[in-house]
Amino acid sequence: MDLTRLPNDKKLQLCRWYFKVGCLFLPFVWAVNAVWFFKEAFMKPPYDEQKQIKKYVMMSGVGALAWGVALAAWVAVFQLQRVSWGEAGDSLSFIVPLGRA
Amino acid sequence: MKMYQLGVLSFFCFIALSQSERLHEQIYSSIEGGAACFRRLNGTHQAGCSSTDKGAVGPVLMIKEINDALWLTQNGTAGPYIAVVSTALFHDIIEEFMNNPTNVAGILVYEDAYQITSAFTHDSKCPNEYSSGPGSTCSSSEPEGFVWNEKGTDLMRRDIPFPMFFLPESRIEEIKKIEECYQRYNLDRNAHSGKPLCSVQLHSFMFAAVDTVVCLRRSASSAILTPTKVCDPLGDQNVYYPLFSRAKENKEAKRPVILVTARIDTASLFDGISPGAASSVVGMVTLLNTAEVLRSMIPMSKTYGTNVIFTLLNGEAFDYIGSQKVAYDISRGAWPPIMPLSPTDIPLHIELGQIGGALLSHRDEESWPLYAFTPNLSNNVDKVSEFVNALSSDLKQYNMSLVMTATDNIPPSSLHSFRRILKNVTESGSLTEILIADHNAQFTNMFYNSALDDYTKIGFDYHNITVGSDGIFLQNDEILAKGIMNATEIQVKISRLATSLARTLYKKITDEEYTGANQASAHLVDEMMYCFLRSQMCRLLLAADYGNSGGTENLPQKPTPLYVGVSAYSLTAPVFAGHMLALFTGMHFPELNRTTCDRIDKSEFSYLYLKGWNNTGVCIQTTMNFSQAISPAFVERDYDYASGFYSTWTESVWQTMWARVFVAASGNGALAAFIAGAVATAIAAFLTFWIQRNAQRIFINAPTGSLVSTDATTGILRTVNC
Amino acid sequence: MSNSSSSDTEEANENTALMDGHIAEARPDREIAERIARKRKTKSDSQRSYGTVDHGVSSIHGPPQPSSAPVAGPSADAQIEELELKYGARHVIKLFVPVTLCMIVVVATISSINFYSVKDVYLAYTPFHEESPYAVTKVWNALANSMILLSVIALMTVLLIVLYKKRCYKIIHGWLILSSLMLLFLFSYLYIEEALRAYNIPMDYITLVFGMWNFGVMGMIVIHWKGPLRLQQAYLIFIAALMALVFIKYLPEWTTWAVLAVISIWDLVAVLTPKGPLRILVETAQERNEPIFPALIYSSTVMYCLAATPPAGAAGEGEPPARELRPLVPDESGENAPVENRRSPSGDAGFDAEWRARADAHPAPPDAHAHAHAHAHVHVQRLRVDGTAPAHYTTRVERPQQQPAPDMDEEKGVKLGLGDFIFYSVLVGKASSYGDWNTTLACFVAILIGLCLTLLLLAILKKALPALPISITFGLIFYFATRCVVKPFADALAAEQVFI
Amino acid sequence: MTLAEFFSCSLLAFGAPLAMFAMTIANDPVRIIIMIAAAFCWLLSFLLSSLVWYAVVPLRSYLAFGMVFAVIFQEAFRYGMYRLLRKTEAGLKEISENHEIGSNKLEMAYVSGLGFGVMSGAFALVNVLADSVGPGTLGLRNGTEYFFVTSAAMTLCMILLNTFWSVIFFSGCDENNYYKIGWVIFSHFLVSSLSFLNRQELYAVTILLSYIVLIITAVQAYRCAGGTSKSFIESFTVRS
């Protein structure tokens, strides 16, 4: 769907909804929200809901970013430490590489 | 047009021979018949080779002399290289490669008939060192220590950082192919960089890694929906044959049992090539013949105070898997399944160890120096010497010698398992152990557990004497009299050893000298050796094959590999051996047909329906049976794999093994292409852009678009609709 | 496309053309009619006027308003024809892009992850596995399999019609959701696993679960509810690709080809014969004067209408966006149930196809398989229906004026069901699984051409057309021809470096 | 290393056509469709020629034979394409969104030519490229490591040639100028038969001659399209 067709209040609703849903460990949704509503929030001529939309977009963006960083950190740690963790590492692994430790 | 035709005609001449072959076949040529070194794991280490999952690629370097190897490791420029080396040179250069492998992508070992290979053994200097019983002084670690297998490179126990392939003599033309390519491209080794090089790709990617613990764990845990298996425990079947059926005996009054053992299996670094002539086959054949002769000597009607169990142990090359299992089961009173033995039921254990190493060196005389090793125990030395003397005196008539050495430093053999697991009986001396081998201080076999340990290493040549449909073999006297064989040939020697051993055992059982004329037949030995060393397509195996199995075509022309394999799949070697035992020692009922034969169910016997000598099928009643040969480590609950008490060998799973030769590009082509491409693209882009931009001004007298006339639309409709 | 729709679009150009000229947008139909007429006169001599218009067109904005009946008489007709074709061209390309993308995904996967090209497990409803060495038996197996499939499909289609006539949407929708859930999670999970395996990359459950959760939920939202268009299209394409991969993996060798052929024939029959099930479906829908099965129409509309019209400008400000607001005009808000209900199907139709097939593909009790798969096919079918249905509607020029806008809207643009996507990709992917790129290329071009022709026919005949037959026929012909005849020649030329 | 070979060969063979496509065709759906149609035409022609080659078993080993028919069929289909385009030109012009279409009636010729060329180029090269990825290159039995490069270069040459040929051919058909058509056919035969020299690894000869032919053809095409050297120069000098 394209936002431009939505009346502003609906936009706000949608944005808020996305933000709320994103709270269920769904940073991807947040990211989408942030990108999707970015124009609405920052590029469009101001309208009264814009303030809140801005807020949600900001929050989603930051949240997504935080999650992203956290995930990246975890992945890095895992990839580096898997071998040294031994059995724990294997039991954590969904794919264990063949032919190497 | 005309001139073109001429042109074509002129071209026809050399186009004529152009095939429409896929480019791929022009680039690559696969190296057929190579055997790859693969990965095994034990409780603490991984051993053997693995390539990367894409395969190891490198320019070829033919190793003609040791200096080539040094050049490769020290100042090879286009490396890492694939070293192509003959077995003759292998032992001299392998350490160099193992010590600095950075410039080695892989090794292709080939057997070359024109170069004498003095030694080729990749087992440890002290085979199964860490499973040896108390008192063995062999140590591969300390430099000046005493060792059995002096030439051993221990590669089978070490982690090799690069893949290795072995090409047998029969595949020498593949080497010629590589050599040719090498001559064309790689000869000037100092100008390698920046030129197309003849290269080889070795692919043998192993799934398992680290050690048995890890790989078993990973085999157990698998991602949902798609299980993955990365390694299996080694193991197969032991074969045992009680001379008399033991089922009828009652628990308290069990007859003492003399255990006569030999090993079935051998090993080699490379997959599927493990002939093991001197390492195991001679011993096994001797045992089979002994059983056959003894059976023919002893009247089955009478019952005697002593029984004999002939046992063929499997997996001995890998820390005595088979004997460890047997000893372990005996200690738990679980072997054999019918009327299990207790350790005290076995007064005597005779192992036919590695005999055959000395055969080649004694091929011209009748003599065959044999040695009897026995643990150095005061209390049963007379028991041993009694037996040994009996045997040696019997051997004397054949000019064969048997020298007894009482020492705790016993050569690698199943004795070690018994001495570790059944400590109390072996040390108390209630179980007397004798190992018969044909080497004394060190192995006379320079190819112990290797791919080259084939029939030529024991000087065996096949006489191919026909066997009657009655399964009667020529007696030695006849053979020698007719001069079909002469007394120096190994068949005769082996048969004689078997005869002597049988006689000695006869005496042990019946307490009287054997007076009959039954002898082991060199003819039978000849056939047996042929079956195990040359081709499965042999008379005995045809006769010993399952009666219901298809014709002869299902038996390949090559010998059956004697590598123990993984416990998950049973290999043919023990089955063949067992069937032979059954065929020669069992009771034949030709009249019974298959269904009835299968239906018979007597607890003390098992019934096999084999092809028989005239391929009509025969039902055989036998006491021969199979028992599992898998290390107790995998049987026992939560066994600590690192403890190293039992064998913990597992074999990695792999998908494919292949090797191919091709020419690798130098990259000049790529560079040229890139430059040309960039230029062309840039020019094209610019011209297109420019011409399109001012098309109006460039195409001044362009052929103007004809129509758009007034009836355009109808025109459209017409055009579109038609 | 149709008179009515084209006249919409026509207005749209006008509309935008005007907007270029910065003139107010809303104007009575009268003017439009005149303008059309005027333009027709002037058009011939001056390309420029056309130019501006077309220019406008190329960046067309604004949802077409409910159109007036063609006012300009015959003249307008011709006009309409052109514009229609003009749109045709645009839309053909707009279809090429996603189809190509889908095929690329499939081909790339096939050639990099060999899990999808090895045959081990088969679907439970293809009982004959073509193990016999004899070609005859294989062919027979293949035919038998495909016939089984076909009958299952037919059965399910009938069942669908019954359900539809009984008006039990609830069942269908709920079931769509469930299936979509399973598809999105299970089969993308399989895909990830195989991809990682192929490259031997270690990965931990935490990342996996987290990733899957995000991916799946976002997919559900975007497909069943509201989300950025691009994302939605991406999901659709990806899932179509996955579906195709599943077919390629789990159908026996020859069965795949047989199925392709049979399906396209079935397609032909079901859509064109007067008593063809799909047509019946369409007609019932018309009688009830409701958009057949949102699940059917929308799936493609969502993708392609929008795909076809770039971010629509704010003509009719505040007027709810055509696509998803139509069904629920008065109270439209994401939260209230009925809305959801009406809306949810929109995405689905596309998806459940995948799901079903996914479901069956994935090792499960045989009967389950059968079912799952059956559904898959139904959906595929349905997809195709909707693919063609719009055209079918639009032939009804005499549609009442007060026709609810949604129909107008959904009629706009060329629609292609995901089912077609899947089978195109199956064909190309299968071709590529033999490692000869010429074959793949030939099939690809053949299918595109077939698609072009289909669309051309659609524009000319103005009649519901099945999208598979032409393309698949071309594809099959070129596949076998290339494989048997062309390949050796091409290889010879390549190996000899002879260029013709 | 070998991957580099793959990419650079692709660049060499398809870089220029891609640029041309992106600049002149991509932005107009109608042209894209025409291009695909042309590609399809080429496919048909190739199918027919390989059918002939395949059917005549005894001559199968003589590629020259197959080549003759291939060229003939290609030119035939080029003509077919011409007829088709001319038939639908009006319609195409109408429905094209890019209004300067048809400002030069050889535009369609160019587009279809490119379609022709790209398809033939793709068919000639894709499998070769696929093999260029692997670790190996030609040379084990015969051939040199420059096989891939030369193939790519020839492919580029053929693609461009096809483009220009179509232009010349179309204009020739328009003004019934048989010399132009003759030149197209002749040069096509010439280049194709030249490429037989590749088996002898006389790459220098082949490529050089082919590119000379290419330049001649290009100039001719340019003239057919109504350009003159003068106008070309002016286009740079006269800034407006």
Side-chain angles (χ1 to χ4, degrees), chain B residues 106-375:
Chain B
I107 301 183
L108 188 59
V109 189
Y110 66 95
E111 184 184 1
D112 185 351
Y114 300 104
Q115 305 177 39
I116 310 305
T117 308
S118 59
F120 194 73
T121 165
H122 307 308
D123 210 322
S124 159
K125 283 182 167 20
C126 300
N128 298 337
E129 177 178 5
Y130 304 106
S131 304
S132 48
S136 80
T137 61
C138 180
S139 150
S140 58
S141 48
E142 64 197 55
E144 291 313 310
F146 168 84
V147 295
W148 293 112
N149 185 20
E150 201 200 355
K151 299 292 185 189
T153 59
D154 199 20
L155 285 177
M156 281 197 329
R157 301 285 195 280
R158 287 151 81 187
D159 185 22
I160 304 169
F162 39 75
M164 273 203 252
F165 272 64
F166 173 78
L167 278 172
E169 173 62 26
S170 55
R171 292 299 185 167
I172 196 69
E173 76 279 0
E174 302 287 346
I175 291 298
K176 294 217 176 68
K177 195 164 66 188
I178 299 174
E179 175 88 47
E180 182 184 315
C181 166
Y182 174 78
Q183 299 291 352
R184 267 176 66 191
Y185 291 95
N186 302 15
L187 211 46
D188 178 7
R189 65 165 62 148
N190 297 317
H192 271 176
S193 51
K195 279 174 47 192
L197 292 176
C198 177
S199 306
V200 163
Q201 185 175 24
L202 304 177
H203 182 276
S204 63
F205 177 58
M206 296 295 145
F207 287 7
V210 187
D211 58 23
T212 293
V213 186
V214 172
C215 83
L216 286 181
R217 185 173 70 216
R218 289 178 179 175
S219 298
S221 75
S222 71
I224 315 163
L225 300 174
T226 47
T228 50
K229 192 163 214 236
V230 296
C231 67
D232 302 282
L234 293 187
D236 199 347
Q237 303 277 319
N238 290 330
V239 183
Y240 66 93
Y241 159 67
L243 184 59
F244 309 107
S245 168
R246 305 179 56 257
K248 286 278 183 289
E249 305 177 2
N250 52 351
K251 280 264 179 300
E252 47 281 359
K254 270 183 288 186
R255 278 184 290 185
V257 163
I258 300 174
L259 207 56
V260 183
T261 61
R263 57 185 268 209
I264 300 176
D265 77 305
T266 175
S268 92
L269 193 57
F270 305 104
D271 174 43
I273 303 186
S274 44
S279 311
S280 65
V281 170
V282 175
M284 170 165 55
V285 169
T286 314
L287 181 132
L288 292 175
N289 280 276
T290 312
E292 191 265 341
V293 182
L294 189 59
R295 172 72 173 71
S296 67
M297 291 172 171
I298 295 215
M300 281 294 125
S301 52
K302 290 202 280 175
T303 56
Y304 297 95
T306 317
N307 198 348
V308 179
I309 297 186
F310 293 93
T311 310
L312 289 172
L313 300 166
N314 212 333
E316 292 294 277
F318 295 97
D319 292 330
Y320 311 120
I321 294 172
S323 53
Q324 278 186 353
K325 183 66 161 59
V326 168
Y328 175 77
D329 284 349
I330 289 175
S331 70
R332 296 182 318 164
W335 189 88
I338 316 163
M339 291 300 285
L341 292 166
S342 71
T344 50
D345 297 336
I346 311 170
L348 182 60
H349 169 208
I350 301 157
E351 161 108 348
L352 290 167
Q354 186 193 182
I355 52 180
L359 282 172
L360 194 57
S361 52
H362 293 71
R363 70 183 313 169
D364 302 327
E365 59 257 34
E366 284 190 32
S367 70
W368 184 11
L370 295 168
Y371 300 88
F373 294 85
T374 179

Side-chain angles (χ1 to χ4, degrees), chain B residues 18-23 26 53-54 205 222-226 228 708-710 712-714 716-717 720-721, chain C residues 40 43-44 47 78 81-82 85 186 189-190 193-194 197 200 205 362 435 456 460 487-488 491-492 495-496:
Chain B
S18 71
Q19 265 69 273
S20 108
E21 57 180 340
R22 184 84 161 75
L23 205 51
Q26 286 187 18
D53 54 358
K54 297 272 170 296
F205 177 58
S222 71
I224 315 163
L225 300 174
T226 47
T228 50
V708 170
S709 60
T710 48
T713 56
T714 51
I716 298 162
L717 294 185
V720 169
N721 288 334
Chain C
R40 250 204 87 258
K43 179 176 49 48
S44 54
Q47 295 285 353
E81 288 295 343
E82 303 158 18
L85 286 173
L186 185 61
Y189 163 82
L190 262 181
E193 179 182 351
E194 289 312 325
R197 252 184 229 299
N200 203 13
Y205 276 109
H362 150 30
L456 189 62
I460 293 167
K487 187 178 185 302
D491 283 348
E496 302 294 331

Side-chain angles (χ1 to χ4, degrees), chain D residues 96-123:
Chain D
S96 163
E97 295 170 0
N98 164 331
H99 43 286
E100 77 258 3
I101 198 172
S103 64
N104 182 336
K105 60 186 298 198
L106 288 180
E107 219 165 274
M108 286 302 148
Y110 159 79
V111 173
S112 66
L114 195 61
F116 244 68
V118 167
M119 199 59 191
S120 74
F123 253 64

Side-chain angles (χ1 to χ4, degrees), chain C residues 283-302:
Chain C
E283 273 154 8
T284 23
Q286 288 171 7
E287 286 154 19
R288 296 185 194 172
N289 195 2
E290 64 188 5
I292 25 167
F293 242 131
L296 299 191
I297 284 290
Y298 282 16
S299 66
S300 60
T301 317
V302 169

